[in-house]
Amino acid sequence: MNVIPPEAIPSLSDEDLLVQRLRDRDESAMTLFYDRYSAALYGVIMRIVKKEEEAEDVLQESMVKIWNSFGSYDAGKGRLFTWVMNVSRNLAIDKIRSRQYRVGSRTQPLEDSAAVREAASPTFRPEHIGLQEMTKQLNPDQQQVVDMLYFGGYTQSEVAEELDLPLGTVKTRARAAIKVLSKLIR
Amino acid sequence: MDTQQYIESGVLEEYALGILPEAERAEVERLAGIHPEIRHELDAIVMGLDAYAEAHSLTPPPAMRDRVLAGWQQAVRGQASEENTISLPPMSVAPEPVAAQPTATFTPPVASAASEPVVRPISSAPEPMQQAPARGYGWLMAASVALLLSLGANYLLYNRWQHTQSELFAVQQEQAQFATTQQASQKLLATQQGELAVLRDEQFRHVTLAGTPAAPSAKARVLYNPATRAVYVDVRSLPVPPAGKQYQLWALDNGKPVDAGVLAASTAAGEGLQQMKDIASAQAFAMTVENVGGSPTPTLSTMTVVGNI
């Protein structure tokens, strides 16, 4: 047993262990969960809601939701990371939707919503995987479409309408963008 | 089934983006379970998006950790006690102080992981001090305090450094964005100067195209220079073409229609002039609605505007 140094154990088993502890309703596992996933989740939440205070709310709601609906996580269908990222992303999108609903600005003029989306939040952590490196590989049209779909919660037809593009073009761009992203890590 | 065709259809990307309806999601999962090549492709796509999400990583402010964990615990215990209120009323009260405890112990703003090893020697110090000479422990105390201070200073400096880095990146992003905007403005300016030159050029004949009975309110204009053969189109108002259709301009030369090119969606929406194909000779111009990409011959029943020179 003691022949294998802990670093040699693949990180996947860390995730398995965490999943096991969450399944066993081990509350202390959520501290570990926070330390491991909060940066990734918070980064995406901030990218969507833009405000630190709301991002904190969404992060906490995400933790509650992840804990409460952990039974519906199926490790056979995908990684824990993917699942929790989707939970947080959807909560964050719901947040901005309800905000827009309150203000009644779901159909604001294009310049407005585009400006909000494009305002560079000062929150990227360049040292991580290299957002710059990744976005450099995407052309701006592709990035715009994939960002609207992934961070904006738009459907493809809504993107087509908002950008005044044929639906086919939107689909082609989304597919091309994701192809580029998955090639980068292969 | 043709798995390659399925992979190429784009449905896997839609699945990963979370924009597929529930029924189609289940179908993707079912097929991924049967066909290893679909599973493989789907995994790669999901990993790509995950990496993109992860690239946005941002460490939350340190103080947020305790607030979020305490808030989470309160929410979860709250639910648990609500469920228990009827059968076991005291239980709903009992966990509360426990829930409050961690908040109190975690209050130091320095990350708890960093403070723990430092705090311990101090708390254990008073006991042996009574037996051993105070001087040695005085040094230990001083060293501990120095270490604590240095940790605090390191922590602050690290924080500030991180902050500076992200600010720098934000500024770089802003600058890049500004450069892009500037380029776009330059391009727009050049286009508009070109349009103005065409509009002012006296060699150009202005041909008004009026709506046909099919679209009485449609209105457009063709600018035609017979000397250079240049043709521009300027739309005032055209009905939005049906999906998969596009406007096409025709020059009529001795009654024979000659293709003058298709209108971009922005041109049809009236956003600006568009240069069309050169036309050697024409007595009239007309527009019809054709399949995207244009037709070799006009579909006369869809003629929307027409005008003589």
Side-chain angles (χ1 to χ4, degrees), chain A residues 27 30-31 34-35 38-40 42-44 46-47 52 56 60 63-64 67-68 76-77 79 81-82 85 89 118 120 122-129 131-132 134-135 143 146-147 149-151 154 156 171 175 178-179 181-182 185-186, chain B residues 8-10 13-19 29 39-41 44-61 64-65 67-69 71-73 75-77 79 162 165-167 169-170 172-174 177 265 269 271:
Chain A
E27 291 195 1
M30 281 311 268
T31 307
Y34 184 95
D35 291 338
S38 63
Y42 185 69
V44 165
M46 268 299 269
R47 171 73 172 71
E52 192 175 303
E56 181 172 341
Q60 190 179 308
M63 303 261 298
V64 173
W67 176 262
N68 284 343
K77 284 184 188 169
R79 296 193 302 150
F81 181 92
T82 313
M85 183 56 80
R89 196 167 58 83
E118 251 143 56
T123 54
F124 299 117
R125 221 173 49 147
E127 73 267 30
H128 199 266
I129 291 184
L131 184 58
Q132 284 171 310
M134 287 192 107
T135 52
Q143 199 193 346
V146 81
D147 283 357
L149 292 171
Y150 193 66
F151 296 124
Y154 287 73
Q156 295 188 103
K171 288 190 170 186
R175 211 177 310 160
I178 294 169
K179 218 155 247 156
L181 293 174
S182 55
I185 55 147
R186 248 183 250 214
Chain B
E8 295 296 323
S9 74
E13 286 84 355
E14 293 177 2
Y15 174 90
L17 283 165
I19 54 179
E29 284 166 3
R39 165 97 273 159
H40 181 77
E41 187 68 21
I45 287 167
V46 168
M47 294 280 268
L49 265 181
D50 280 355
Y52 187 53
E54 202 171 3
H56 289 78
S57 279
L58 167 70
T59 308
M64 202 180 276
R65 183 177 188 271
R67 285 200 303 268
V68 166
L69 283 171
W72 164 78
Q73 206 164 35
V76 170
R77 298 253 163 110
Q79 291 163 356
Q162 263 204 332
Q165 264 214 332
S166 57
E167 269 183 353
F169 183 58
Q172 282 171 342
Q173 284 251 317
E174 255 170 52
Q177 225 162 33
E271 282 174 22

Side-chain angles (χ1 to χ4, degrees), chain A residues 135-154:
Chain A
T135 52
K136 224 180 269 170
Q137 307 293 322
L138 294 173
N139 76 39
D141 289 342
Q142 291 173 348
Q143 199 193 346
Q144 183 180 34
V145 168
V146 81
D147 283 357
M148 285 175 81
L149 292 171
Y150 193 66
F151 296 124
Y154 287 73

